[in-house]
Amino acid sequence: MQTGKAIQHAARLIREGKLVAFPTETVYGLGANAFNPDAVANIFRLKERPSFDPLIVHVANLEQAASLSKHSDDRIRLLAEKFWPGPLTIVVEKNERVPDIVTSGLNTVGIRMPDHPLALRLISEAQTPIAAPSANKFGRISPTRAEHVANQLPDVPYIIDGGPTTVGIESSVIRLHDDGFVMLRPGAVSSEEIKKVIPESHIRIEKEDEFHSPGQIKSHYSPQKSMFLGISDFNDSDLSNGGLIAWGTPEYASKFKKVEYLSKTRNSEEAAINLFNALHTMEAADVEFIIADTVPEEGIGIAIMDRLKKAAYRHRNNAS
Ligand code: AMP
Ligand code: MG
């Protein structure tokens, strides 16, 4: 379908309370009219997402952002000027128009303006903010291509195909407090960059045992086979039935049955773009287990390692 027609069709579905999968620069989202609780309930049903995991609401302009939040906060405008459209979700107090199902009963709502022309056109034509989590089954690998969505969610009524996503990793999520902010989920935008925009801010340190945000669930993004992080425990093992997700071009790659390269030149941005597709490819490949190289934890590498640790978590901890 021609792009303009596809957007019109998708926007009509959103207005009718149906679900649409659409590309953003981070990952593909599964969207519904954020003000329609029945439509939003279908997101949870289709994803098999637990109701305690709140959704990010996507907007196309600052007026739509203001239509969700309880107070006007100049920091939203400052952050928006610098980072929107882009991969930063800002969690603020919600107003009563936002249905509880969107926020899992929290009195806060996560808001983001995605940096993707098709997403922005869809939200504008639908004339409503769109609640959208990643378009995958809960806990599974996030989708960075339309075919990833179609494979995991064959029942989604409509998918806008925008090709591979250009950031490749979910947005950074911050919660604004009166005196500062907390980074709830690392992404392409770092705490240091945010502090430059709201310099009076304190970055709060979170207590380990506090459940701040469902994005902090330890097991997530998991392939349906054993996955391990780092080669060092496997130096003397037979790796010929394994898959390697490689950082750079390590010489031990030749010991594996299959190799997916995150970035041959060790470029973190390129690695972020390739990460989820590498996991999808390995999940479908004829390999018995997956080993992923670690990447340097700086810049977007922090977010890459966050996702890799969660993908490997259940195997490290022998959970099912
Ligand atoms: P997803 O859309 O699947 O990438 O997941 C959205 C994530 O954003 C959630 O799992 C939370 O970690 C975070 N999030 C969304 N809304 C809120 C909120 N109101 N408070 C805290 N975290 C939130
Ligand atoms: Mg997700």
Side-chain angles (χ1 to χ4, degrees):
M1 206 188 299
Q2 176 235 347
T3 309
K5 290 251 162 55
I7 297 288
Q8 276 171 16
H9 177 63
R12 194 175 324 117
L13 291 175
I14 294 284
R15 283 197 300 273
E16 288 169 358
K18 308 236 170 56
L19 304 186
V20 169
F22 62 97
T24 77
E25 80 282 28
T26 60
V27 302
Y28 275 69
L30 180 64
N33 177 348
F35 292 127
N36 180 337
D38 294 332
V40 173
N42 280 329
I43 295 181
F44 284 90
R45 211 166 295 136
L46 200 66
K47 270 186 67 99
E48 296 165 27
R49 182 174 173 113
S51 57
F52 62 72
D53 196 358
L55 308 182
I56 292 169
V57 181
H58 294 73
V59 298
N61 53 54
L62 283 178
E63 291 69 44
Q64 283 185 335
S67 76
L68 304 161
S69 51
K70 185 164 184 180
H71 311 289
S72 71
D73 183 335
D74 211 37
R75 294 174 299 174
I76 300 178
R77 188 183 52 77
L78 291 173
L79 291 168
E81 268 171 17
K82 174 77 180 161
F83 299 111
W84 282 0
L88 176 68
T89 296
I90 307 173
V91 175
V92 296
E93 262 185 83
K94 79 172 189 78
N95 66 29
E96 69 292 340
R97 284 190 72 204
V98 182
D100 286 339
I101 189 166
V102 171
T103 65
S104 303
L106 298 172
N107 64 355
T108 54
V109 60
I111 309 173
R112 178 168 108 78
M113 190 188 294
D115 187 13
H116 195 293
L118 298 180
L120 291 172
R121 280 174 66 183
L122 173 67
I123 301 164
S124 296
E125 291 218 16
Q127 295 180 339
T128 177
I130 294 182
S134 50
N136 53 286
K137 292 271 187 205
F138 179 72
R140 301 273 303 277
I141 306 166
S142 300
T144 54
R145 298 169 184 228
E147 59 264 31
H148 299 158
V149 182
N151 288 340
Q152 272 194 40
L153 302 176
D155 294 334
V156 60
Y158 192 64
I159 304 173
I160 302 173
D161 188 347
T165 62
T166 53
V167 172
I169 247 177
E170 296 87 346
S171 57
S172 307
V173 180
I174 61 165
R175 163 87 166 101
L176 287 181
H177 291 282
D178 288 346
D179 62 343
F181 68 93
V182 179
M183 178 65 77
L184 296 173
R185 177 174 73 182
V189 177
S190 68
S191 298
E192 291 71 34
E193 287 176 275
I194 293 164
K195 266 212 105 166
K196 282 186 202 149
V197 177
I198 41 177
E200 78 289 359
S201 238
H202 302 286
I203 303 179
R204 294 196 177 188
I205 309 296
E206 300 156 60
K207 293 201 195 93
E208 276 277 314
D209 55 348
E210 259 179 62
F211 188 66
H212 286 276
S213 176
Q216 296 170 332
I217 293 168
K218 290 197 170 91
S219 173
H220 214 68
Y221 316 109
S222 299
Q224 304 288 86
K225 56 182 65 161
S226 298
M227 167 153 171
F228 307 92
L229 192 51
I231 189 82
S232 51
D233 291 343
F234 299 89
N235 282 336
D236 300 322
S237 312
D238 175 13
L239 301 170
S240 58
N241 280 323
L244 175 69
I245 295 182
W247 171 247
T249 53
E251 76 289 348
Y252 49 76
S254 60
K255 297 183 183 174
F256 286 82
K257 187 169 189 179
K258 184 168 180 63
V259 185
E260 283 290 308
Y261 292 94
L262 290 179
S263 168
K264 290 188 175 176
T265 58
R266 298 178 177 236
N267 174 304
S268 304
E269 276 74 29
E270 185 187 19
I273 291 169
N274 291 329
L275 174 67
F276 286 127
N277 192 53
L279 286 167
H280 281 287
T281 304
M282 283 302 179
E283 182 172 65
D286 182 23
V287 295
E288 285 172 13
F289 59 91
I290 305 163
I291 297 176
D293 282 336
T294 58
V295 310
E297 289 190 77
E298 50 203 46
I300 200 170
I302 296 170
I304 296 173
M305 281 298 285
D306 170 74
R307 306 312 189 268
L308 283 173
K309 283 176 195 164
K310 286 173 177 163
Y313 183 83
R314 23 187 216 135
H315 309 293
R316 195 169 65 242
N317 292 274
N318 293 324
S320 63

